[in-house]
Amino acid sequence: MNLELLLPLVVYLVLVLGVGFWASRHRVGGDFVQEYFIGNRSMGGLVLAMTLVATYTSASSFIGGPGAAYKVGLGWVLLAMIQLPTVWLTLGVLGKKFAIIARRVNAVTINDMLWARYQSRAVVILGSVTIILAFIATMVVQFIGGARLLEAATGLSYQQGLLLFASCVLLYTVIGGFRAVVVTDALQGIVMLIGTGALLAGILVAGDGLPNLIHQLREIDPKLVSPQGAGDMLTQPFMLSFWILVCVGVVGLPHSALRCFGYRDSKALHRGILIGTIVCALLMFGMHLAGALGRAILPGMDSPDKIMPSLMMEVLPPWLAGVFLAAPMAAIMSTIDSQLIQASATLVKDLYLNYLNPRQEKLEVRIPRLSLLCTLILGSLVLVAALQPPEMIIWLNLLAFGGLQAVFLWPLVLGLYWSRANGPGALASMVCGILCYTALSQWGIKLAGLHAIVPSLGLGLVAFVLVSLLTPAPDQSVRRLFDQN
């Protein structure tokens, strides 16, 4: 075991745990649900930006994306920059109206907003079930990614790495709640920036500068420096699908949309958009460029997904490699903690409070304990599943990511901006979107070469509009609530 490599990571994990304990001791008085699940809507601009970027950035961003750039070349770096406006889109489309209406209706979860807009139990229940199932699948993948990263880089066994990683995430999330999650996300965003910058600098030094690295890529395969990429895989249908899946569709991800509930004021929102867009641009460009240039440093890798850990060990001294190791760990942890806290909120707030405890007895005692217990149980179930990773888990992860978009994008966006949107229309969109996405993904059908998310969102939009127009309009009170600025 390389202690010099492991020490910076251990220091980082201790800092994360310290944040969790700090958050648990500095909760603002008042409603436990408001504090534990959305931090009493107190995020400033920097924290808002960092938590949104960190939540969006996951293991695939630090491992899968650079691996694809290693295989395809600089064309993939250009493609990855499609993700640059994700923060601007999420906060710009949802941010202001979401925050205003959430405060009016005292919304704590995404399903609180759906209930206020559509007054439909079917919409809330379908949304809740989708969130829980999708988040469990994606959290298992993230746990596996964190454990394998520790296994490859530190010499720990898979089980040891998993227990170390999972224990840290569960402890600070259970203890600190939303406040701990967003503050650690800010810390993780900074770590990701430092790690990405350090690795890219190490690659440039090891490769004698950018011009020499590009020359070596051209010697390996001229298409590695072309916009089409090696294998000519960057076709127009592929780029359109990628743009929808990882940029526009991100507006429909519940764990990203929830960040719009928690910021303090308009100044924080505007600062969050600016800072978040800059940070996202630096991260996406840096990590994917590192993967593409890594082909010149380590040209014979059998698995592109191993390029980032391998580059880390190749071009950085052990202590600095340990700092970089914390970067993908931060990306993985920031995705898990956000999904874990929201899945717990869905169980406690959306299902238990609304449907299983109609008389709402002794909530001041029961809800805090139940919230902590649900977070712990969900995390433990994911940990158990990750101990024996199923063969189809990667497919489940992709299905979950696109499935969330297929279910939530149009009910969230049209619910805010189209006064005629109603409950039957939202339900039709959710059902058609997820059924279409599941069927196309399961059977590998690509209509006109497009990813399943594109026709699924198209069908969901058509279903939403048609059913809304053919059924009664929403109540005037609902329309006034959502039409006001």
Side-chain angles (χ1 to χ4, degrees), residues 17 29 46 136 138 149 155 220 226 236 251 254 259 261 283 292 323 430 449 452 478:
L17 287 175
L46 175 63
I136 287 175
T138 54
L149 191 63
I220 295 171
S226 71
Q236 289 185 352
V251 177
R259 267 57 192 156
F261 284 15
L283 283 176
V323 173
M430 296 167 81
V478 173

Side-chain angles (χ1 to χ4, degrees), residues 37 50-57 131 135 138-139 169 172-173 177-178 180-186 188 254-259 330-346 375:
F37 292 129
M50 287 301 193
T51 188
L52 194 55
V53 172
T55 298
Y56 173 69
T57 308
I131 286 175
F135 281 1
T138 54
M139 283 190 291
V169 175
Y172 80 75
T173 304
F178 184 86
V181 167
V182 297
V183 175
T184 51
D185 280 354
Q188 288 158 350
H255 49 297
S256 295
L258 187 68
R259 267 57 192 156
I332 296 169
M333 292 169 72
S334 60
T335 301
I336 292 174
D337 58 24
S338 302
Q339 295 177 343
L340 186 58
I341 201 72
Q342 191 169 355
S344 176
T346 299
T375 305

Side-chain angles (χ1 to χ4, degrees), residues 14 23 44 52 144 157 261 359 365 445:
V14 170
L52 194 55
I144 294 170
S157 69
F261 284 15
R359 291 181 293 178
V365 175
I445 300 173

Side-chain angles (χ1 to χ4, degrees), residues 32 36-37 344 348 366-375:
F32 173 87
Y36 189 77
F37 292 129
S344 176
V348 175
R366 187 177 302 174
I367 294 305
R369 293 177 180 174
L370 189 60
S371 300
L372 298 175
L373 184 61
C374 281
T375 305

Side-chain angles (χ1 to χ4, degrees), residues 87-98 251 413 416-417:
V87 173
W88 175 76
L89 280 173
T90 301
L91 294 179
V93 173
L94 301 180
K96 185 177 181 180
K97 292 198 73 172
F98 242 44
V251 177
V413 175
L416 287 178
Y417 294 101

